[in-house]
Amino acid sequence: MTGQTDIPANVKGALDLDPWLTPYARTLSSRRNLADKWLQEIKESTKDKNLTLAEFAREAYASYGLHANKVTREITYREWAPNAKRAFLVGDFNSWDETKNELIERDAYGVFSGVIPPTATNDYAIPHDSRVKVVFELEDGSRIYRLPAWITRATQPDKETAAQWGPSYEARFWNPENVYKFKHKRPSFNPDQESLKIYEAHVGISTPEEKVGSYKEFTANILPRIKELGYNAVQLMAIMEHAYYASFGYQVTNFFAASSRFGNPEELKELIDTAHGMGIMVFLDVVHSHASKNVTDGINMFDGSDHQYFHSLTSGRGEHPLWDSRLFNYGSFEVKRFLLANLAFYIDFYGFDGFRFDGVTSMLYLHHGVGEGGAFSGNYDEYLSEFSAVDEEAVAYLMLANDLLHELLPKGGTAIAEDVSGYPTLCLPRSIGGVGFDYRLGMALPDMWIKLLKEKKDEDWDMGQITHTLSNRRYREKVVAYAESHDQALVGDKTLAFWLMDAAMYTDMTTLKPATLVVDRGIALHKLIRLITHSLGGESYLNFEGNEFGHPEWLDFPNANNGDSYRYARRQFNLVDDKLLRYKHLNDFDKAIQHTEGKYKWLNTPPAYVSLKHETDKMIVFERNGLLFIFNFHPTESYSEYRVGVEEPGCYRIVLNSDKKDFGGYDRIDDKNSEFFTTPLEWNNRKNYIQVYIPSRVALVLTKQE
Ligand SMILES: *[C@@H]1O[C@H](CO)[C@@H](O)[C@H](O)[C@H]1NC(C)=O
């Protein structure tokens, strides 16, 4: 135990925010010390150059891998492979001749480097987009064939090659004459003042057609939708190259290669630049928590050993117990170089504006949040005691990753943690002793909604529990709220809309007949669930593509079990474009939420004050940033003169009304002509009240008239 008197200065800020952390001050401090020690080591490794972390990462991606020198027309190649004795570059360019291009230099750490001189006509010796491989000779004289670990492009083999050599991805040297020229600056974003509204998307499924969508199609067809809806960030999944499409991008094989299924690197740049031109930031769903086990087209067993990038197989830390994948050794200097350079590369080369770090819970704990280790009660011992099973190297790595991001993008660079454990200090700044993330995903929220829809009748919904779950977050640690993400859409589960309306979505979504009871309920609750999650659940909001209009069904990628079908690996934007279907109502409501927030701001403001959660009336009322939110979850009761408390006196008017016809409601409230004058009598702990007409399953947002 550390007494108040000897609180380590390097975590004092975090303890000031949460005094309950005080008994764990020494643990927090030593975790920070490890990251700071690593920072020092990195600095020292750059010797008299005295590079910063960002300069270190940039130098790494600019020197490792293959690089064309525009002036000399030489190509340089650098690769770390400590278990190898010799290394050779082969490819179409030298007819796969293993004797021609040996990487002559090998330093004490096992880093090979070499130069491929220009041709006799002073051209690059390796043609643009031609295939290459690295061959390592091991101690025993055997040779292994790998894709360069830093390769920026890998493609599926054509049929002939696959028949002869197997289905492994092929590395390509990307060196186009015409490099895409960025036209737009990154959108300015001040995370302290502005709200973050994220549209989560997967390029391949962003088409109604049964095929793999492309970067170009996304740029042309989806970005305008995102803009119109009012989101200011798009979060792209499955960008890092993954040989297995059905892994949804989470079994990465080539960390520096943007998935070639969707197009080429220049086309991804164009996508990001176009988003920037619309004022939309682009985040990368970055997978540094684990890696595909593939050897011939991944980085597993890269230098022939089982412990180069990863913990060894015999250590018990080298494999994920559930994901059938390899786990990085964050303690290794070269692994840190690889991963940090990887982050800097996506920011510099493509223009990404931030990261959603996948699998943070798995990284943080030696038990990976699996089995008993996954049952977090919130007791601080689970995170910060000697029994906490925290992987301090992973914590330190995440600290450095966040340092790097914030050094590269000091204004607006955004880091989001996929953490379900609730690790305290995860989203506090590094400077006060936090891990340095800007946001964590509010992973308890979608779970709550699914559970309610699966297990509870509407009349049994617990207003207290709903408001508690939506408001339950750590002081000053921001949360991205969401009702459903890609997780909830995966096969085995289904979208919220489908939980609500199920098979009725195939027959009853038409506007040509009155809504059935099922569709009526589904549309009403879909709106309420999104609005209350948006307004009460966090400091930022996330929507997974398609769910803004109540996408039916689920997601299932082509695989052996479904006969390689794309039927469920697409988003049916045709549904929302069909004026005779009710999806457009849900879409327009989503748009109204984002734009109302854009105008009146509630996300990036202090948490709401909940003045009412009434179990019999099924009413929830709260205020946030001066706005008044009123929800009636009752399945049947409408209230004509419902009294709700409000702190500030004045005249209130409606700025968002879920009952509007445009949103699939009944226009029962004349919101244009409604003015609500407060009565100066205390009600529900607020100084004033107003009385409103609030029909069953309707939500209203009011603002005070100036
Ligand atoms: C491993 O590679 C093969 C082709 O080489 C591919 O079919 C498979 O999906 C890959 N697996 C993973 C998990 O990346």
Side-chain angles (χ1 to χ4, degrees), residues 167-168 243-244 251 253 292 294 297:
S168 290
Y244 184 44
Q251 300 257 342
T253 39
S292 162
N294 272 17
D297 53 8

Side-chain angles (χ1 to χ4, degrees), residues 166-169 242-245 247 251-253 261 292-297 324:
S168 290
Y169 262 57
H242 47 294
Y244 184 44
Y245 192 43
S247 77
Q251 300 257 342
V252 173
T253 39
R261 276 194 191 82
S292 162
K293 270 190 180 167
N294 272 17
V295 173
T296 51
D297 53 8
D324 193 35

Side-chain angles (χ1 to χ4, degrees), residues 401-646:
N402 287 323
D403 288 347
L404 172 66
L405 171 67
H406 295 117
E407 185 189 336
L408 287 166
L409 300 175
K411 283 192 244 153
T414 302
I416 302 165
E418 193 211 12
D419 173 44
V420 71
S421 76
Y423 183 90
T425 74
L426 190 67
C427 304
L428 293 179
R430 278 273 282 137
S431 58
I432 64 168
V435 183
F437 284 100
D438 299 289
Y439 300 86
R440 59 158 53 83
L441 290 173
M443 298 179 74
L445 312 187
D447 290 350
M448 174 188 76
W449 292 122
I450 300 276
K451 221 170 136 57
L452 277 178
L453 293 178
K454 265 192 207 170
E455 296 172 8
K456 288 256 159 89
K457 291 202 288 264
D458 295 2
E459 45 274 36
D460 296 334
W461 284 21
D462 183 330
M463 300 295 112
Q465 186 237 329
I466 291 173
T467 52
H468 172 76
T469 306
L470 287 170
S471 334
N472 183 18
R473 46 193 186 268
R474 296 188 52 75
Y475 179 60
R476 296 284 285 276
E477 295 193 38
K478 291 193 214 175
V479 163
V480 177
Y482 59 105
E484 52 185 332
S485 71
H486 72 268
D487 276 328
Q488 283 68 39
L490 284 180
V491 61
D493 212 325
K494 51 192 184 188
T495 62
L496 274 185
F498 216 54
W499 277 115
L500 284 161
M501 295 177 270
D502 210 340
M505 298 194 86
Y506 297 119
T507 49
D508 299 341
M509 288 301 273
T510 169
T511 54
L512 296 177
K513 61 177 188 185
T516 61
L517 284 177
V518 170
V519 167
D520 211 33
R521 165 181 179 267
I523 286 187
L525 285 179
H526 200 268
K527 290 183 284 185
L528 265 56
I529 287 171
R530 278 181 292 158
L531 180 60
I532 197 170
T533 304
H534 200 300
S535 49
L536 193 56
E539 286 65 34
S540 164
Y541 179 75
L542 176 142
N543 169 68
F544 179 64
E545 64 174 328
N547 294 338
E548 70 276 14
F549 61 83
H551 204 287
E553 303 174 329
W554 55 87
L555 279 170
D556 192 17
F557 282 78
N559 63 65
N561 297 328
N562 62 20
D564 283 323
S565 162
Y566 284 86
R567 167 113 207 249
Y568 297 106
R570 61 189 175 126
R571 296 269 97 179
Q572 301 175 53
F573 289 98
N574 54 304
L575 295 176
V576 69
D577 294 340
D578 189 333
K579 298 294 171 239
L580 296 180
L581 293 178
R582 296 178 186 276
Y583 295 97
K584 65 176 185 205
H585 295 145
L586 294 175
N587 190 71
D588 288 349
F589 186 64
D590 203 281
K591 182 172 151 188
I593 298 178
Q594 312 316 327
H595 285 276
T596 308
E597 200 288 332
K599 189 159 174 200
Y600 297 99
K601 311 276 183 222
W602 59 74
L603 279 173
N604 204 0
T605 68
Y609 180 89
V610 181
S611 64
L612 180 70
K613 35 200 180 194
H614 197 294
E615 299 303 341
T616 324
D617 294 350
K618 296 285 176 243
M619 288 286 300
I620 294 173
V621 178
F622 56 89
E623 283 150 82
R624 193 168 179 191
N625 200 30
L627 297 158
L628 180 60
F629 294 82
I630 306 170
F631 289 83
N632 179 358
F633 279 98
H634 202 288
T636 52
E637 292 294 325
S638 299
Y639 308 107
S640 54
E641 288 283 299
Y642 204 86
R643 187 174 290 194
V644 301
V646 61

Side-chain angles (χ1 to χ4, degrees), residues 6 61 75 114 119 211 244 251 300-301 320 325-326 329 333 383 420 458 463 466 500 545 557 599 638 676:
D6 56 344
Y61 77 64
I75 293 167
T119 61
K211 64 166 198 178
Y244 184 44
Q251 300 257 342
N300 186 19
M301 311 285 288
H320 194 279
S325 53
R326 298 300 314 268
N329 176 5
F333 189 87
Y383 318 100
V420 71
D458 295 2
M463 300 295 112
I466 291 173
L500 284 161
E545 64 174 328
F557 282 78
K599 189 159 174 200
S638 299
F676 304 90

Side-chain angles (χ1 to χ4, degrees), residues 13 15 36 59 64 82 101 141 209 261 323 447 613 646 690:
L15 271 53
D36 293 346
E59 188 183 77
Y64 282 72
N101 294 89
E209 292 169 65
R261 276 194 191 82
W323 299 343
D447 290 350
K613 35 200 180 194
V646 61
I690 58 170

